[in-house]
Amino acid sequence: AAIRQKNSYYGAFYRRIATRRGKQRALVAVMHKLTVAIWHVLHDRTGHKDLGADYHTRKNPQRAMRRMIREANALGLTIRFDPA
């Protein structure tokens, strides 16, 4: 159920891993992440906070821009980013 949600960290993590490693390995990786998260919730007695699907983009925006430029160049397009 965690990987089927569009705007969850685990769904985005599954899609990122599944493209590189395959669906079964990605499923096992998500199960491992969930197990670690459950352990921390039980051990530390804290609530679970979903990081969001855009966590990696917010964490490293330069990497996201490089990826977009590389994908656009593969399609034969040129992109220029102007600061907002």
Side-chain angles (χ1 to χ4, degrees):
I3 63 174
R4 290 190 182 121
Q5 294 181 357
K6 298 290 183 193
N7 293 326
S8 73
Y9 172 76
Y10 298 110
F13 179 75
Y14 172 80
R15 287 186 294 278
R16 286 179 63 229
I17 301 298
T19 57
R20 294 190 317 249
R21 304 282 298 195
K23 293 181 180 182
Q24 289 299 321
R25 284 185 182 252
L27 187 60
V28 171
V30 170
M31 289 189 303
H32 182 263
K33 272 208 181 280
L34 281 171
T35 305
V36 170
I38 290 169
W39 184 87
H40 281 288
V41 166
L42 294 175
H43 180 265
D44 301 336
R45 295 188 176 134
T46 60
H48 179 265
K49 181 183 172 205
D50 188 58
L51 298 173
D54 62 341
Y55 171 74
H56 293 288
T57 304
R58 286 184 285 122
K59 187 172 123 181
N60 193 348
Q62 296 297 325
R63 178 183 281 179
M65 287 187 355
R66 284 194 309 267
R67 180 183 51 81
M68 286 184 233
I69 291 170
R70 189 172 50 245
E71 289 176 0
N73 288 341
L75 294 172
L77 302 171
T78 303
I79 294 179
R80 188 181 84 210
F81 290 102
D82 294 326

